[in-house]
């Protein structure tokens, strides 16, 4: 597979679901360029009309809320527009101190509901998901969709607001896809980070009761919308505004990042991002630098220096907590962690991405390389009835 | 890709079919890396042109090899393969729609059986990935014309689609997109099929 980066930002073609146009511009940059043609004042009016037409009795909408800079900004924006939001938080995997302070701040702005599934079960699932699908945040990826939607149904508040659309902001999937501002089950499965592992698979493999997974199940037909489809998204600006309303950054630049204001609530995020680097060769620092490049706050050269500096360091803490302790929380040893990294790492990609020269490899001369040329794509799995004889017998003896 | 495939096995599928649709020669090392960690039976296909290709794939961990265009171009290859490796290792993949018309598919399936093929992988190309149901008519006509197992593929979007395919005569069902994009699991499918009177390993 040919490895290259976007001609404008630093995203590599190893980033899942990223697409490149013929000039080598990635789908995140393409989506950003489309903003110039949007009438944002009209979009804002459309947003308010949408909420007003679908509001609940005592609250107008739900904001799916981690307590971070973006959800704080969302609540502030809703209040500014005269809306009455209800903040709903699906408890995170492993809450940090600064994350707790910021969650407490939310209830100074509006009503706040926090839903917490059984933590003992959740730790088992987290360990399983880390070891089997290489995703320590699998529970969180489910709960951020299911918990606010369940509250929406229970409280009869029809609309749940999410932040930025990952497709538009981070280029996941074809730019400008019809589905980019709409959330449905198919979207969640395709782009929502669930990695092809279903709740029912987990229930069967770990022997869980229906009750154990109830809060993870997303009710059908809840009107979930990305606010990023109505407001020009900018995490940096969101932080500036959130900070005026009580949001606190970390006391120093976060490990593996370029700022002190992002990904502060969940200690496991550090491990998630580390594993992501080993799988795909791009870091959180790269995400942030790319956002700065697109908005003209960093030149490409400045971004390359910053990202390469972060990506060539190693660290053994996240938000100041030793990674070993964060792993212990889900009953994973350092040796098990290293085993998982080994299994899921793509050494060729990591080696390439670690070299300064990789930042100079643009995709200008590529020929159809946006379609991963590993070629082996369709996978069909088969269910045989037992009557078909030797075939299923072979399965049961294997 | 290897992670995804390992995960499918963990999700308790009965068998796996890996087809390389790039129209190139099989990339033996890559395929071997994918199949090596698996315990379930694996059928490998795509770009298989010769007995030598088949031997390398089988030696590298495939349990069965699927022949498609090479078999159509040279039907003797099916017989040779069955003599060398046994019918149980030879799957003929038939693409209906963009490949063969339905009536051609029936007579070709009959000929494949006569030449010794162990299974037919019957794919409705127009329905592949659409998740709106199998082509039951084609399944019915092909599976009633042969006595070897027919794996129905292309179009599965619900457990009921699977039941319908079995009722139309399929001996097994292939599922691709539905296990990736829908709230459906292999284990859930097995339970559903068993509850609907289709003998299934649970």
């Amino acid at each position: 597979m040919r490895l290259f980066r976007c001609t404008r930002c630093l995203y590599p073609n190893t980033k899942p679901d990223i697409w490149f146009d013929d000039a080598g511009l990635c789908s995140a940059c393409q989506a950003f360029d489309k903003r110039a043609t949007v009438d944002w004042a009209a979009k804002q009016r459309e947003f308010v009309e949408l909420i007003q037409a679908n509001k609940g009795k005592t609250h107008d909408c739900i904001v799916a809320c981690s307590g971070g800079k973006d959800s704080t900004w969302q609540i502030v924006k809703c209040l500014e527009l005269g809306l009455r939001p209800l903040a709903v938080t699906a408890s995170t995997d492993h809450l940090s101190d600064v994350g707790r302070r910021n969650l407490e701040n939310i209830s100074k702005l509006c009503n706040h509901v926090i839903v917490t599934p059984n933590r003992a079960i959740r730790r088992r699932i987290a360990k399983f998901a880390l070891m089997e699908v290489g995703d320590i945040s699998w529970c969180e990826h489910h709960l951020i969709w299911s918990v606010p939607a369940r509250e929406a149904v229970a409280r009869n508040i029809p609309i749940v607001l999410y932040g930025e659309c990952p497709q538009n902001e981070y280029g996941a999937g074809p730019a400008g896809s019809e589905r980019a501002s709409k959330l449905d089950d198919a979207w969640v499965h395709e782009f929502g980070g669930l990695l092809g592992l279903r709740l029912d698979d987990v229930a069967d493999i770990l022997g869980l009761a229906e009750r154990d997974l109830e809060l993870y199940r997303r009710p059908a037909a809840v009107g979930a919308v990305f606010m990023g489809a109505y407001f020009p998204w900018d995490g940096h600006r969101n932080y500036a505004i959130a900070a005026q309303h009580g949001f606190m950054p970390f006391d120093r630049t976060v490990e593996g990042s370029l700022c002190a204001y992002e990904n502060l609530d969940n200690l496991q995020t550090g491990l998630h991002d580390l594993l992501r680097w080993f799988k795909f060769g791009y870091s959180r620092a790269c995400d942030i630098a790319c956002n700065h490049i697109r908005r003209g706050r960093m030149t490409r050269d400045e971004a390359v220096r910053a990202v390469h500096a972060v990506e060539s360091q190693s660290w053994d803490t996240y938000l100041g907590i030793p990674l070993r302790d964060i792993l212990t929380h889900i009953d994973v040893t350092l040796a098990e962690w290293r085993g998982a990294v080994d299994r899921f790492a793509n050494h060729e990609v990591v080696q390439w991405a670690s070299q300064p020269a990789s930042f100079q490899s643009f995709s200008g001369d590529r020929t159809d390389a946006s379609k991963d040329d590993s070629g082996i794509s369709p996978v069909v799995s088969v269910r045989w009835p037992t009557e078909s004889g030797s075939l299923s017998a072979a399965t049961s003896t294997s | 890709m290897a992670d995804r495939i390992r995960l499918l096995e963990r999700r308790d599928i009965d068998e796996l079919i890996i087809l390389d649709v790039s129209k190139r020669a099989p990339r033996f090392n890559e395929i071997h890396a994918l199949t090596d960690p698996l315990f379930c039976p694996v059928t490998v296909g795509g770009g298989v042109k010769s007995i030598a290709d088949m031997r390398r794939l089988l030696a590298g961990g495939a349990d069965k090899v699927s022949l498609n265009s090479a078999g159509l171009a040279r039907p003797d290859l099916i017989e040779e393969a069955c003599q060398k490796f046994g019918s149980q290792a030879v799957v003929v993949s038939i693409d209906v729609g963009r490949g063969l018309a339905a009536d051609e598919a029936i007579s070709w399936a009959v000929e494949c059986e006569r030449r010794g093929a162990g299974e037919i992988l019957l794919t409705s190309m127009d329905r592949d990935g659409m998740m709106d149901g199998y082509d039951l008519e084609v399944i019915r006509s092909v599976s009633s014309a042969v006595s070897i197992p027919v794996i129905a593929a292309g179009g599965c979007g619900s457990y009921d689609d699977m039941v319908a395919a079995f009722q139309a005569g399929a001996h097994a069902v292939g599922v691709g997109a539905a296990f990736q994009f829908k709230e459906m699991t292999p284990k859930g499918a097995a339970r559903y099929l068993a509850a609907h009177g289709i003998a299934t390993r649970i």
Side-chain angles (χ1 to χ4, degrees):
Chain A
M1 179 179 172
R2 203 162 99 57
L3 301 172
F4 59 84
R5 294 181 190 268
C6 174
T7 47
R8 183 187 304 163
C9 76
L10 306 181
Y11 273 151
N13 64 326
T14 49
K15 187 179 185 295
D17 298 324
I18 200 160
W19 292 54
F20 291 85
D21 70 9
D22 291 336
L25 199 65
C26 79
S27 39
C29 286
Q30 291 171 47
F32 187 82
D33 286 349
K34 289 211 174 75
R35 287 184 177 194
T37 63
V38 174
D39 179 349
W40 290 108
K43 278 283 171 195
Q44 177 172 316
R45 284 194 298 276
E46 205 183 301
F47 174 79
V48 175
E49 283 161 20
L50 177 73
I51 306 287
Q52 295 289 8
N54 296 283
K55 61 185 180 184
K57 212 166 177 187
T58 51
H59 293 95
D60 297 329
C61 56
I62 283 177
V63 173
C65 174
S66 67
K69 66 182 194 321
D70 292 332
S71 41
T72 305
W73 175 83
Q74 285 175 257
I75 289 163
V76 168
K77 179 53 80 175
C78 284
L79 293 169
E80 206 180 284
L81 295 169
L83 301 171
R84 303 164 300 168
L86 171 69
V88 173
T89 298
S91 291
T92 194
D93 295 309
H94 192 170
L95 189 63
S96 65
D97 290 340
V98 63
R100 177 170 289 113
R101 279 206 305 278
N102 283 326
L103 270 183
E104 284 166 2
N105 181 59
I106 294 293
S107 56
K108 295 173 189 159
L109 302 170
C110 66
N111 286 338
H112 187 192
V113 174
I114 302 180
V115 177
T116 309
N118 183 323
R119 289 208 178 273
I121 301 277
R122 181 169 186 167
R123 287 171 194 174
R124 279 179 64 201
I125 302 175
K127 178 175 185 174
F128 170 79
L130 170 63
M131 303 310 282
E132 292 294 331
V133 294
D135 181 12
I136 197 171
S137 305
W138 191 85
C139 292
E140 182 129 322
H141 291 153
H142 262 279
L143 291 165
I144 57 169
W145 305 118
S146 65
V147 162
R150 296 179 72 86
E151 290 301 310
V153 171
R155 296 168 188 277
N156 205 7
I157 304 170
I159 289 186
V160 178
L161 298 177
Y162 286 89
E164 79 269 50
C165 171
Q167 275 168 291
N168 285 335
E169 189 72 353
Y170 296 110
S177 141
E178 281 294 304
R179 293 163 59 196
S181 64
K182 251 180 32 197
L183 262 170
D184 54 23
D185 278 338
W187 189 96
V188 169
H189 284 147
E190 192 169 352
F191 300 114
L194 302 184
L195 293 171
L197 182 69
R198 296 288 169 273
L199 287 166
D200 288 339
D201 292 317
V202 172
D204 282 327
I205 296 168
L206 297 182
L208 304 178
E210 180 50 38
R211 171 185 70 253
D212 296 332
L213 290 177
E214 191 183 6
L215 296 174
Y216 293 74
R217 294 197 189 275
R218 194 172 170 269
V222 169
V225 297
F226 290 114
M227 270 179 90
Y230 299 93
F231 300 88
W233 201 258
D234 183 357
H236 195 68
R237 173 217 50 210
N238 292 355
Y239 161 62
I241 292 172
Q244 298 168 358
H245 294 268
F247 173 84
M248 299 264 287
F250 192 49
D251 60 10
R252 55 189 181 274
T253 300
V254 175
E255 297 91 328
S257 178
L258 287 181
C259 69
Y261 58 71
E262 197 176 277
N263 285 312
L264 304 183
D265 56 318
N266 184 1
L267 292 174
Q268 289 179 12
T269 302
L271 295 164
H272 173 273
D273 288 353
L274 208 50
L275 195 50
R276 193 182 77 167
W277 158 256
F278 284 113
K279 284 170 157 181
F280 306 118
Y282 72 104
S283 61
R284 180 63 58 181
C286 182
D287 284 322
I288 295 171
C290 291
N291 282 335
H292 284 324
I293 292 174
R294 280 179 218 118
R295 289 163 179 83
R297 289 194 291 257
M298 266 191 187
T299 65
R300 196 175 196 282
D301 284 346
E302 286 166 337
V304 166
R305 274 194 295 280
V307 170
H308 184 63
V310 172
E311 291 181 350
S312 17
Q313 286 166 2
S314 62
W315 60 89
D316 54 7
T317 60
Y318 190 69
L319 298 170
I321 307 293
L323 296 183
R324 178 198 298 268
D325 296 348
I326 302 172
L327 287 166
T328 302
H329 183 80
I330 57 164
D331 190 30
V332 172
T333 64
L334 264 184
E336 285 174 317
W337 162 254
R338 290 198 191 101
V341 169
D342 253 4
R343 264 184 63 197
F344 293 105
N346 187 330
H347 299 289
E348 187 201 350
V349 167
V350 172
Q351 203 179 3
W352 171 79
S354 308
Q355 292 164 358
S358 78
F359 292 100
Q360 306 311 325
S361 45
F362 303 144
S363 54
D365 60 340
R366 44 183 275 295
T367 51
D368 201 31
S370 66
K371 293 177 189 63
D372 173 353
D373 65 356
S374 72
I376 303 166
S377 49
V379 173
V380 178
S381 33
V382 181
R383 279 231 74 99
W384 287 96
T386 45
E387 279 168 0
S388 61
S390 62
L391 297 152
S392 51
T395 313
S396 52
T397 52
S398 61
Chain B
M1 180 61 76
D3 304 339
R4 288 297 180 101
I5 287 179
R6 256 196 311 247
L7 177 61
L8 280 170
E9 184 173 55
R10 200 76 163 86
R11 295 176 74 192
D12 208 18
I13 55 165
D14 290 333
E15 294 199 20
L16 192 71
I17 300 171
I18 302 176
L19 299 175
D20 181 345
V21 296
S22 65
K23 297 188 176 169
R24 284 174 291 193
R27 274 157 295 163
F28 299 99
N29 293 340
E30 284 176 53
I31 294 168
H32 180 67
L34 296 180
T35 56
D36 197 43
L38 302 176
F39 293 98
C40 73
V42 183
T43 300
V44 176
V48 179
K49 292 275 176 264
S50 65
I51 294 291
D53 286 346
M54 298 181 76
R55 180 176 289 118
R56 268 187 89 177
L57 289 171
L58 291 167
D63 299 277
K64 310 175 212 179
V65 174
S66 145
L67 285 173
N68 194 328
S69 51
L72 278 169
R74 195 160 72 79
D76 287 348
L77 187 59
I78 298 170
E79 270 153 313
E80 274 175 58
C82 293
Q83 279 159 18
K84 286 267 190 312
F85 310 115
S87 294
Q88 87 294 333
V90 181
V91 178
V92 176
S93 173
I94 301 181
D95 294 339
V96 186
R98 267 167 276 168
L100 299 174
D103 53 333
E104 291 171 320
I106 299 168
S107 54
W108 175 232
V110 170
E111 185 178 346
C112 291
E113 179 178 26
R114 185 173 58 72
R115 289 177 180 272
E119 290 172 15
I120 303 288
L121 171 60
L122 183 67
T123 307
S124 308
M125 297 301 283
D126 296 334
R127 288 167 182 263
D128 207 20
M130 304 303 286
M131 297 191 282
D132 54 5
Y134 293 98
D135 186 337
L136 300 176
E137 215 34 66
V138 167
I139 294 169
R140 198 170 286 122
S141 49
V142 172
S143 59
S144 63
V146 297
S147 54
I148 53 176
V150 172
I151 307 165
C156 181
S158 69
Y159 296 149
D160 279 325
D161 289 343
M162 298 184 191
V163 172
F166 281 112
Q167 284 167 350
H171 299 82
V173 288
V175 184
F179 284 158
Q180 298 301 326
F181 301 125
K182 291 204 164 184
E183 194 62 49
M184 288 169 62
T185 70
K187 196 84 183 166
R191 276 197 213 100
Y192 193 88
L193 291 170
H196 286 74
I198 292 150
T200 313
R201 181 185 65 88
I202 299 177

